[in-house]
Amino acid sequence: MNICGILVHAKPTSFDGVRERLLSVDGIEIHGMSDEGRVVITLEEDDEDAMSDALHKVQTLEGVISASMIYHHNEDEV
């Protein structure tokens, strides 16, 4: 199991749409949002390649200025 904390900077004018698009990505949970367009999310994936693909998807969503991984935890499932 991989868990990543990601800081997303979004255009404040398209915030509602960005929120919906973020939630459409499997494994994403939103933990906080600011009026300035900052969003704190976590992303959970079983596979590191899937994690990388999902992060890239977040980075290229319409209305997203940037998305940076700020935390990563990898744990073998028993």
Side-chain angles (χ1 to χ4, degrees):
M1 171 65 66
N2 289 284
I3 302 171
C4 287
I6 301 169
L7 177 60
V8 177
H9 287 249
K11 296 177 185 175
T13 56
S14 59
F15 209 51
D16 291 333
V18 169
R19 182 181 184 283
E20 288 178 30
R21 286 187 282 281
L22 285 170
L23 291 173
S24 74
V25 178
D26 289 337
I28 292 226
E29 187 174 329
I30 296 176
H31 297 279
M33 303 172 80
S34 75
D35 292 337
E36 295 83 24
R38 290 185 301 260
V39 186
V40 176
I41 64 173
T42 53
L43 171 60
E44 292 185 28
E45 284 289 348
D46 293 328
D47 174 283
E48 287 186 15
D49 289 334
M51 176 70 69
S52 178
D53 291 345
L55 176 58
H56 183 261
K57 188 172 189 176
V58 168
Q59 291 170 329
T60 58
L61 286 175
E62 181 183 342
V64 170
I65 298 167
S66 68
S68 301
M69 185 185 319
I70 55 172
Y71 175 80
H72 178 245
H73 176 77
N74 182 6
E75 187 172 297
D76 291 331
E77 293 187 41
V78 179

